[in-house]
């Protein structure tokens, strides 16, 4: 059979097979050797841990216990049926849904405003970027002081508004009588307060990304738009700026989403998931179950769930969006 | 259709004066090229006309109406950019339609989804579609209407940019180096097409380029700019035969004009390297003579220039001979007919003369000054020219 195949081959091919080694094959082998270290590292430090986590999520493993029992999907069933786990999903999704749009659009708005300035650009850039550079844990402590129900600057400032026309706002009038919210101590306010801090902390970063994106918009396009009859800034934004920032926006939304899913430090520093598990976000749950309570199997299951969320975002980005915003 | 007037346009960026008082009248339907080396201010002048930049002082009039302070969108002009400036996220059809949708549809009608169901929107959009298709057919890009600019070649993008400019039937077209991103063959092709477009539409064209060949082949008139000033405005023939400034003479024509440094004595006789040239200055003292390569004629005696052949370029139709000539710093270029092939060899000594009326004189300031033959030599030179032509 192989004889038949070699007979039907053309002459140059036969000549080549006579040589000791095919140059292309030699090059391919060199390539293999060169990329092997990277492949080994990739498997060892990225893929194997995920696999181990996936396996652990199907057990009741806890650190230090000699035996491991296979529990199948019980950890996952617990997540989807237990009330505290439902609260975890609600808190995480709500946090992401609040922080992502607000910090993306604030970042874009700040970038556009800064670009329109003739003087003071670097001043505003620095000011808005400060929260990004600061250690969030340290900032969280400052926020804790500021939001203290009785001594905090926030409620004391608000209390100064009592007796003024601000009381026409019914919420404000009621608060003047019953006292202002406990913020981080109130389960109706805690997550929103954390989301506010999250937005405050992250929109400066998005602003920097948008500023970089804006520099790549060719100036000629704005000239062309003026010649084509575009006079108002809003029209210019719709025709050029927004579409041209498409790739930036996809990147900013993805990165902000992933970072919001990962929120942990403010929760750990300010609320510990409370009150009444209203701020019980995923990473905090992983920490609490897997590390604090040493329920490694359960922690691993939440981790896998978290990974699935993040993967979903990345795939969605690649599949649906990226194809539409790159114009080449 | 409109006339355009520039009145004493000045423009400064900080301490740098980019335009130093430019005045220019452009006739209705004229094809005028603004030509000059890069950085001479020609693009700035065009952008001031377009309304994309504002002048420091002076005024611009379009069709008799001053347009200073008028928004670019209200000047009824269309512009083609060097980068084409197509909207990359819109299809070719949508790109060409933008000037029409911006003007014919209200801002509510332009809204996505909602805008389509508003009264009048459907008929207006249909009319726009028809106009876009007509423009595309005129430029031979109707088959590309659904593509995105990223999928087109340079020449096709160029046509889309032209389509977007002409779809609205503006009073004047401004073209800012539109061909400089094309390959040589495409450039020659589009050159002819743009010139034809000017004739077909009858609209005023203002064309900015640094390529004198483009300006020479396409324009009714050329305005040569250097260092923020207009040096000369005239027909291609006038600029070629009678440059008013040494820099214009050097800029126009390829291969470039030969510049011979000369001295003029008290009697007005012009000397090249201490040898009388048989020419005299009929006005101010002459410091440079300009002779086009094709104005030179080989001769046996009474020559203007003598030199040794260093290089022969055979173009088939012509022969360009480069000489190292005494007293001339740059090699002298001579254009000979193809019949001279084989008669000239490298290292040959060549004597050249030229008819006095084809020699341009320039004074110490580089301005054109009259040159004539000295009487007794005059006939002599003419005889030789007659014999050799």
């Amino acid at each position: 059979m192989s004889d038949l195949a070699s007979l039907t081959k053309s002459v140059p091919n036969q000549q080549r097979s006579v040589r000791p080694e095919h140059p292309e094959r030699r090059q391919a082998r060199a390539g293999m050797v060169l990329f092997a270290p990277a492949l080994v590292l990739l498997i060892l430090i990225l893929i194997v841990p995920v696999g181990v986590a996936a396996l652990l999520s199907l057990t009741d493993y806890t650190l230090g216990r000699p035996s491991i029992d296979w529990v199948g999907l019980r950890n996952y069933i617990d997540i989807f049926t237990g009330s505290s786990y439902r609260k975890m999903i609600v808190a995480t999704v709500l946090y992401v849904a609040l922080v992502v749009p607000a910090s993306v659009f604030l970042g874009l708005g700040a970038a556009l405003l800064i670009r329109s300035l003739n003087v003071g650009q670097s001043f505003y850039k620095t000011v808005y970027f400060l929260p990004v550079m600061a250690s969030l844990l340290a900032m969280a402590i400052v926020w804790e002081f500021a939001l203290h129900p009785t001594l905090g600057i926030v409620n004391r400032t608000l209390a100064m508004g009592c007796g003024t026309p601000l009381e026409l706002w019914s919420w404000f009038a009621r608060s003047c009588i019953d006292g202002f919210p406990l913020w981080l101590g109130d389960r109706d306010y805690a997550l929103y307060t954390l989301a506010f801090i999250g937005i405050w902390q992250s929109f400066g970063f998005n602003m920097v990304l948008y500023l970089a994106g804006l520099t790549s918009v060719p100036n000629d396009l704005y000239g062309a738009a003026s010649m084509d009859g575009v006079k108002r800034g809003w029209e210019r934004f719709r025709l050029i700026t927004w579409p041209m920032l498409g790739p930036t926006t996809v990147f900013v939304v993805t990165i902000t989403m992933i970072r919001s899913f990962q929120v942990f430090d403010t929760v750990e520093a300010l609320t510990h998931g409370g009150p009444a598990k209203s701020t019980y976000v995923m990473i905090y749950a992983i920490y609490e179950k897997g590390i604090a309570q040493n329920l490694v199997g359960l922690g691993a299951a939440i981790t896998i769930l978290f990974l699935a969320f993040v993967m979903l975002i990345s795939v969605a980005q690649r599949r649906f969006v990226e194809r539409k915003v790159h114009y080449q | 259709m409109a006339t355009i007037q520039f009145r004493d346009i000045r423009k400064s960026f900080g301490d740098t004066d980019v335009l130093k008082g430019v005045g220019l009248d452009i006739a209705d339907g004229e094809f005028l090229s603004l030509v000059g080396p890069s950085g001479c201010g020609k693009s700035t002048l065009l952008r001031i006309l377009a309304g994309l930049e504002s002048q420091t002082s002076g005024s611009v009039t379009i069709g008799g109406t001053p347009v200073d302070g008028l928004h670019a969108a209200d000047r009824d002009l269309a512009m083609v950019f060097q980068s084409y400036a197509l909207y990359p996220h819109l299809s070719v059809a949508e790109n060409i339609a933008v000037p029409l949708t911006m003007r014919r549809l209200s801002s509510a009608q332009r809204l996505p989804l909602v805008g389509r169901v508003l009264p009048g929107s459907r008929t207006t959009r249909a009319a726009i579609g028809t106009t876009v298709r007509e423009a595309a057919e005129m430029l031979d890009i109707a088959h590309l209407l659904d593509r995105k600019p990223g999928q087109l070649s340079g020449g096709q993008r160029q046509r889309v940019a032209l389509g977007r400019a002409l779809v609205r039937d503006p009073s004047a077209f401004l073209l800012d180096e539109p061909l400089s991103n094309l390959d040589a063959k495409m450039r020659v092709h589009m050159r002819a097409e743009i010139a034809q477009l000017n004739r077909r539409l009858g609209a005023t064209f203002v064309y900015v380029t640094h390529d004198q060949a483009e300006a020479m082949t396409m324009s009714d008139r050329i305005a040569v700019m250097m260092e923020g000033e207009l040096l000369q405005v005239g027909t291609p023939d006038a600029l070629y035969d009678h440059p008013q400034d040494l820099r214009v003479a050097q800029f126009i024509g390829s291969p470039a004009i030969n510049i011979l440094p000369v001295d003029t004595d008290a009697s007005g006789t012009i000397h090249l390297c201490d040898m009388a040239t048989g020419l005299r200055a009929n006005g101010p003292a002459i410091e440079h003579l300009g002779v086009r390569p094709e104005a030179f004629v080989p001769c046996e005696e009474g020559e203007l220039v003598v030199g040794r052949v260093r290089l022969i370029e055979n173009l088939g139709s012509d022969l360009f001979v480069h000489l190292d000539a005494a007293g001339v710093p740059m090699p002298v270029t001579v254009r000979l007919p193809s019949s001279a092939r084989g008669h000239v060899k490298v290292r040959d000594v060549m004597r050249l003369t030229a008819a006095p009326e084809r020699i341009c004189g320039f004074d110490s300031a580089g301005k054109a000054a009259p040159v004539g033959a000295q009487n007794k030599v005059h006939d002599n030179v003419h005889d030789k020219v007659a014999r050799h032509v």
Side-chain angles (χ1 to χ4, degrees), chain A residues 53 57 75-76 78-79 84-85 88-89 92 280-290 295-309:
Chain A
S57 75
N75 286 331
Y76 291 96
D78 283 353
I79 293 173
S84 72
Y85 297 111
M88 172 187 82
I89 303 288
T92 310
Y280 193 60
V281 294
M282 270 181 135
I283 296 283
Y284 186 78
I286 294 171
Y287 165 78
E288 195 193 62
K289 293 295 166 197
L295 300 169
V296 175
L298 196 54
I302 307 173
T303 309
I304 293 299
L305 196 64
F306 173 77
L307 194 71
F309 266 114

Side-chain angles (χ1 to χ4, degrees), chain A residues 37-298:
Chain A
L39 185 70
V40 168
L41 279 178
L42 184 81
I43 291 171
L44 270 184
I45 63 179
L46 294 174
I47 295 174
V48 167
V50 171
V52 169
L55 282 177
L56 283 178
S57 75
L58 302 173
T59 68
D60 62 354
Y61 177 67
T62 61
L63 206 63
R65 208 177 75 180
S67 69
I68 300 179
D69 285 331
W70 194 259
V71 296
L73 291 174
R74 215 186 61 210
N75 286 331
Y76 291 96
I77 293 165
D78 283 353
I79 293 173
F80 287 110
T81 52
S83 75
S84 72
Y85 297 111
R86 210 168 44 240
K87 280 182 177 167
M88 172 187 82
I89 303 288
V90 169
T92 310
V93 171
L94 188 59
Y95 182 86
V96 172
L98 287 170
V99 171
V100 172
S103 67
V104 168
F105 285 109
L106 277 173
L108 174 62
L112 289 172
L113 286 174
I114 286 174
R115 275 274 288 195
S116 70
L117 288 177
N118 291 324
V119 283
Q121 285 203 2
S122 44
F123 170 76
Y124 282 101
K125 274 185 219 171
T126 314
V127 167
Y128 288 142
F129 201 66
L130 272 177
V132 185
M133 294 188 291
S135 147
L136 192 54
L137 213 56
M139 288 299 112
I141 293 163
V142 175
W143 277 109
E144 194 171 20
F145 284 133
L147 292 166
H148 190 279
T150 48
L151 307 170
I153 190 168
V154 173
N155 277 359
R156 291 176 78 161
T157 310
L158 284 173
M160 281 159 64
C162 289
T164 68
L166 273 174
E167 287 208 37
L168 292 173
W169 182 13
S170 59
W171 176 87
F172 203 94
R174 224 172 326 116
S175 300
C176 279
I177 300 161
D178 303 339
F180 284 96
L182 305 175
W183 303 118
L184 294 166
D186 186 329
R187 70 170 172 193
D188 291 335
Y189 287 95
L191 187 75
Y192 296 96
T193 311
L194 282 186
F196 178 84
I197 297 173
I199 295 163
W200 168 84
Q201 198 261 336
S202 64
F203 91 95
F205 186 66
N206 293 343
M207 172 204 73
V208 170
L209 292 176
Y210 270 119
L211 278 172
L214 281 171
T215 57
S216 69
V217 182
N219 236 339
D220 267 358
L221 280 185
Y222 292 107
S226 294
M227 300 305 293
D228 287 346
V230 177
K231 280 196 266 188
R232 285 185 305 168
W234 166 240
E235 294 281 359
R236 203 159 44 230
F237 178 78
R238 253 188 59 197
L239 181 66
I240 299 168
T241 315
W242 180 244
M244 295 305 285
L245 286 177
T248 313
T249 303
V250 170
F251 180 70
V252 167
V253 167
T254 312
I255 224 171
T256 314
M257 257 188 161
I258 291 173
R259 282 161 56 110
S260 311
F261 266 117
Q262 291 173 338
V263 63
F264 172 75
D265 30 17
T266 42
V267 181
E268 163 65 11
L270 298 175
T271 65
H272 299 284
K277 291 214 185 293
S278 62
T279 61
Y280 193 60
V281 294
M282 270 181 135
I283 296 283
Y284 186 78
I286 294 171
Y287 165 78
E288 195 193 62
K289 293 295 166 197
I291 313 279
Q293 299 177 7
N294 198 8
L295 300 169
V296 175
L298 196 54

